Amino acid sequence: MERKPMDEGLHTIVAHDQVDTKHYGAVTIPIYQNSLFAFEDHESFDHAMKDVLAATVYSRGNNPTVQYLERKIAELESAEQARCFASGMAAIAGSLHALLRSGDHVICVDQAYGPTRQFLDELSNRYRVEVTYVDGCLLSDFEAAMRPNTRLIYLESPTSGLFQLQDLEGVAALAKRTSALTMIDGSWATPCFQRPLAWGIDLVLHSMTKYFSGHSDCLGGVVAGRADLIDEIANKGYMLLGGVMTSHTASLMIRGLRTLPLRMERHHRNGLIVAEYLEKHPLVNRVNHPGLPSHPQHALARKQLDGYGSLFSFETQVPVALLKKWADALRYFRIGVSWGGFESLVTVGSTPAGRNSTGNNPSVARLYIGLEDPQTLIDDIEQAFREIGQKTS
């Protein structure tokens, strides 16, 4: 399928470093396994303590290995700064905690990551932060929800269940007219395929556990954007809450970052091949993949995205219990809730009420397509469908 070429500069950003002589010419940044960093005299210590957000004093604030990763991600996102956290949820919770006050109003897409909604509900119940959930497919959804005290619009585009998009440029313009902030979970696309800051969004978050790591062996999160906002988050939602990324984790993330553009090219290709196969399958009602021309927001996807992640879902009239047996019969897909690694995954459930294409509440399977041969995965899906066919005969 025709697509925009990936920005070749991304390959250079992740692969190239200026040789730093203080690291003895090491081709990758060393792991700074330090809890603190000492000073030769009080003058230099006092100077560092005047700006602890910039200085290297204590690893709950800054660590050279983590700082290196932060600079790389900021460069990928064309952001002024980035701050890495212990997990994607730590980045989300720390950012929201830092930026919101009692009496503020938040507009959030209703298909946002479940724990994100749970955290917003906690802020609403305990700290009187008002939250309005909207469909988000139309710009008018956000316009209708705006209030004088709207502080933040929280996006996730595409969403990770039914893969709906929001108009980033339109939402950013709306927010700027009212001095509200915009924040997006961009984990699905990564900066390889979508750079929300270029559309006017203020902050972009990623669960680095997913594609950035790429190996399903570490947790991490990051927020990138304007320096003043990142400093506020670092001071109030990072330093004080303590959800920091360790130097060991940063080293693993740096390893994953080196191959991110290459892996995303493969994920893009594999995901579309399997999605196109499923779209033609007689048991499938609909495939929720924004890269397919059948997706109702495909035109918006082509505008905002330079490529596509390999997480998508499909709807079917096969009952949930039987669809779970289909998932159990798969040989190359593991059953698991996360994604972004080398391995293919599947989960099965019901389409939320009012969120399906046929109006009769079909079952839904969410697939993550890994780095395997896509024809092998297609053959596996087909044999599993035959297996459940045998069980119903």
Side-chain angles (χ1 to χ4, degrees):
M1 179 177 291
E2 181 185 357
R3 61 176 287 263
K4 303 173 188 176
M6 181 181 286
D7 180 358
E8 289 297 322
L10 296 176
H11 293 276
T12 302
I13 290 172
V14 300
H16 182 70
D17 294 319
Q18 296 292 335
V19 175
D20 191 337
T21 54
K22 71 181 179 182
H23 301 309
Y24 301 97
V27 296
T28 190
I29 185 80
I31 298 174
Y32 277 83
Q33 190 173 318
N34 298 73
S35 60
L36 78 158
F37 300 86
F39 295 81
E40 293 183 358
D41 54 59
H42 254 91
E43 181 180 0
S44 57
F45 174 73
D46 292 342
H47 178 75
M49 292 301 292
K50 291 178 182 178
D51 190 3
V52 293
L53 292 180
T56 305
V57 178
Y58 184 51
S59 281
R60 182 164 57 83
N62 290 313
N63 175 281
T65 313
V66 179
Q67 287 177 301
Y68 172 89
L69 177 61
E70 290 169 344
R71 289 193 298 270
K72 280 291 183 184
I73 295 173
E75 191 174 1
L76 285 172
E77 290 286 4
S78 298
E80 291 179 355
Q81 286 185 21
R83 178 64 68 161
C84 290
F85 287 75
S87 68
M89 197 59 223
I92 293 168
S95 299
L96 293 174
H97 178 273
L99 297 174
L100 297 175
R101 307 289 183 274
S102 178
D104 284 343
H105 175 238
V106 178
I107 302 172
C108 179
V109 291
D110 60 10
Q111 282 195 68
Y113 179 53
T116 300
R117 288 192 50 153
Q118 185 179 351
F119 186 80
L120 285 171
D121 290 342
E122 283 293 311
L123 291 179
S124 176
N125 295 332
R126 300 176 65 182
Y127 302 112
R128 294 188 294 115
V129 172
E130 300 175 85
V131 183
T132 300
Y133 295 103
V134 299
D135 178 282
C137 288
L138 300 175
L139 186 58
S140 57
D141 297 334
F142 297 98
E143 292 172 336
M146 292 294 291
R147 300 179 188 175
N149 62 330
T150 299
R151 165 67 171 162
L152 176 71
I153 301 177
Y154 188 95
L155 309 173
E156 183 179 317
S157 185
T159 57
S160 59
L162 297 181
F163 303 90
Q164 294 177 332
L165 285 72
Q166 300 97 54
D167 179 349
L168 304 188
E169 186 176 31
V171 172
L174 171 66
K176 283 176 170 51
R177 291 200 297 269
T178 60
S179 299
L181 295 173
T182 48
M183 181 184 297
I184 183 173
D185 183 337
S187 304
W188 187 87
T190 79
C192 293
F193 293 151
Q194 182 172 260
R195 284 177 288 281
L197 303 185
W199 296 106
I201 301 299
D202 294 303
L203 293 165
V204 57
L205 297 138
H206 295 280
S207 171
M208 299 182 70
T209 310
K210 310 298 194 289
Y211 284 128
F212 277 89
S213 165
H215 293 77
S216 298
D217 58 3
C218 57
L219 301 177
V222 67
V223 57
R226 292 199 331 251
D228 61 319
L229 294 175
I230 299 301
D231 282 347
E232 185 173 2
I233 291 168
N235 193 32
K236 299 175 182 177
Y238 184 84
M239 292 281 285
L240 296 182
L241 296 182
V244 304
M245 178 176 284
T246 69
S247 58
H248 279 270
T249 297
S251 180
L252 289 171
M253 291 295 181
I254 292 165
R255 176 204 60 185
L257 198 67
R258 301 297 191 191
T259 60
L260 178 64
L262 291 172
R263 288 185 288 104
M264 291 309 295
E265 292 274 15
R266 177 75 176 188
H267 286 301
H268 166 95
R269 172 181 173 270
N270 282 8
L272 276 175
I273 289 173
V274 178
E276 289 168 348
Y277 149 76
L278 282 166
E279 192 170 41
K280 300 171 185 175
H281 198 283
L283 292 178
V284 174
N285 297 349
R286 171 176 169 173
V287 179
N288 299 308
H289 188 307
L292 295 176
S294 59
H295 191 284
Q297 295 176 292
H298 181 63
L300 180 60
R302 287 182 60 83
K303 173 186 175 182
Q304 294 180 172
L305 293 159
D306 295 332
Y308 306 105
S310 60
L311 183 76
F312 63 91
S313 64
F314 69 86
E315 300 169 25
T316 174
Q317 292 307 313
V318 175
V320 170
L322 190 55
L323 194 61
K324 287 182 178 180
K325 293 183 182 297
W326 166 82
D328 290 346
L330 292 167
R331 299 165 183 165
Y332 287 90
F333 290 80
R334 301 183 184 187
I335 298 171
V337 297
S338 192
W339 45 275
F342 51 85
E343 72 288 355
S344 292
L345 300 168
V346 61
T347 56
V348 169
S350 297
T351 305
R355 286 289 191 176
N356 58 74
S357 58
T358 60
N360 53 4
N361 200 33
S363 307
V364 62
R366 191 178 79 163
L367 295 178
Y368 168 70
I369 307 302
L371 298 177
E372 302 94 339
D373 172 27
Q375 188 57 53
T376 299
L377 300 179
I378 289 171
D379 292 343
D380 190 25
I381 292 170
E382 193 62 41
Q383 70 81 24
F385 275 129
R386 289 196 300 270
E387 177 74 10
I388 65 169
Q390 293 171 5
K391 291 181 183 296
T392 57
S393 59

